Amino acid sequence: MDDELGFLEGPFDSDEAADGVAAMTGLLGEFVRFGELDEGDELADAVDAALAVACLVAARMSGIAPDEQAHHWLDRNPFDVTEDLRRLAVAAFALATRPDGPLADLRSDWEDFLAHVEPYRKALAGEPQEAPAPPVPDLSKGWLWATWSHRNGSLPARSPYAVAAGRLVSALNETPAWTEWWRPSGLHELLVFGTLATGPYAEQVSRGRLTAEAWIDFGHPHPLPDEDVEREVAADLHRALAAAGRYLGLASLPPPPGHP
């Protein structure tokens, strides 16, 4: 879903939610008017994007979405569903899921796919449906996971920074005080996506139904001198966890592992 909707992040990043609704309305309107005239890969891309937007409209209306990505996208990008937007979403959803349409030809799991998106169809149609049961987090295998990258790709797994970060993440997962700090979130896990590169510090946290995500540009490069790695890793993770805690309304951070 993020791949199909990346172009919508820009309008929603501003304070003008109406810009985002206009972008969604325009995409759906163009698809409904001209989607059947496209061919090949362009048609497949248009169907994917229009169906993703229609499903987001449905999820905003109902609060029900089978896809975790949808919950995160909606958390990052709140908007109100206008009647015009709803009508276009209904038409686009019907067009994208036609049994003789291009998407049906491309998917070998067509019937399973239709069952997966059925909650979205019901929401757009205003049909009642039972909300999924609240998740019961299982924190026994850890609640914190982290992935590191720089501007050119993933950080090598055996780099000093990644090794030190892996040790600290494991320690946090094994420290009862930190597990209890996380438990009131009601979520299964926190996923930290950290970028190491020169530039301003930036953070974006979102809450899904099952997970929280923290995307952090730490504002310093990799590699660092080896003697600074442990200190920088601790500082970076502290900033990421503090950002997530503020967003989720959690208590102040416990002391680092090994500290009284």
Side-chain angles (χ1 to χ4, degrees), residues 109-128:
D109 60 341
W110 181 240
E111 294 301 324
D112 290 339
F113 178 74
L114 287 180
H116 180 72
V117 298
E118 179 66 3
Y120 300 113
R121 186 200 65 77
K122 286 185 174 182
L124 289 172
E127 298 178 13

Side-chain angles (χ1 to χ4, degrees), residues 67-161:
D67 301 276
E68 183 73 358
Q69 299 101 311
H71 291 281
H72 281 282
W73 196 92
L74 291 168
D75 190 45
R76 294 193 303 266
N77 305 293
F79 67 95
D80 294 326
V81 178
T82 65
E83 183 56 25
D84 285 345
L85 183 58
R86 187 197 68 82
R87 284 199 298 264
L88 284 170
V90 170
F93 189 97
L95 184 60
T97 56
R98 292 182 316 173
D100 60 342
L103 197 57
D105 292 336
L106 292 172
R107 297 195 69 105
S108 59
D109 60 341
W110 181 240
E111 294 301 324
D112 290 339
F113 178 74
L114 287 180
H116 180 72
V117 298
E118 179 66 3
Y120 300 113
R121 186 200 65 77
K122 286 185 174 182
L124 289 172
E127 298 178 13
Q129 57 182 318
E130 185 176 349
V136 179
D138 178 7
L139 307 182
S140 61
K141 296 181 180 179
W143 55 273
L144 174 63
W145 311 97
T147 300
W148 312 99
S149 63
H150 48 70
R151 294 296 183 221
N152 297 320
S154 298
L155 201 64
R158 300 308 303 169
S159 66
Y161 187 99

Side-chain angles (χ1 to χ4, degrees), residues 33-230:
R33 290 192 299 272
F34 306 116
E36 293 182 279
L37 303 179
D38 292 331
E39 296 181 357
D41 291 341
E42 290 185 2
L43 176 55
D45 291 343
V47 173
D48 283 343
L51 184 57
V53 171
C55 289
L56 287 172
V57 172
R60 174 60 72 201
M61 292 170 58
S62 67
I64 296 173
D67 301 276
E68 183 73 358
Q69 299 101 311
H71 291 281
H72 281 282
W73 196 92
L74 291 168
D75 190 45
R76 294 193 303 266
N77 305 293
F79 67 95
D80 294 326
V81 178
T82 65
E83 183 56 25
D84 285 345
L85 183 58
R86 187 197 68 82
R87 284 199 298 264
L88 284 170
V90 170
F93 189 97
L95 184 60
T97 56
R98 292 182 316 173
D100 60 342
L103 197 57
D105 292 336
L106 292 172
R107 297 195 69 105
S108 59
D109 60 341
W110 181 240
E111 294 301 324
D112 290 339
F113 178 74
L114 287 180
H116 180 72
V117 298
E118 179 66 3
Y120 300 113
R121 186 200 65 77
K122 286 185 174 182
L124 289 172
E127 298 178 13
Q129 57 182 318
E130 185 176 349
V136 179
D138 178 7
L139 307 182
S140 61
K141 296 181 180 179
W143 55 273
L144 174 63
W145 311 97
T147 300
W148 312 99
S149 63
H150 48 70
R151 294 296 183 221
N152 297 320
S154 298
L155 201 64
R158 300 308 303 169
S159 66
Y161 187 99
V163 171
R167 286 197 300 265
L168 183 52
V169 167
S170 294
L172 292 170
N173 277 322
E174 294 168 1
T175 302
W178 279 90
T179 299
E180 293 310 307
W181 171 79
W182 177 251
R183 194 179 300 280
S185 72
L187 300 171
H188 286 301
E189 58 191 7
L190 170 63
L191 311 175
V192 174
F193 300 94
T195 299
L196 305 176
T198 301
Y201 174 83
E203 64 184 49
Q204 182 185 67
V205 183
S206 62
R207 180 191 184 112
R209 183 170 180 265
L210 304 172
T211 64
E213 293 181 356
W215 296 80
I216 311 292
D217 285 342
F218 287 110
H220 66 74
H222 174 81
L224 295 164
D226 287 354
E227 62 270 17
D228 293 336
V229 166
E230 299 281 350

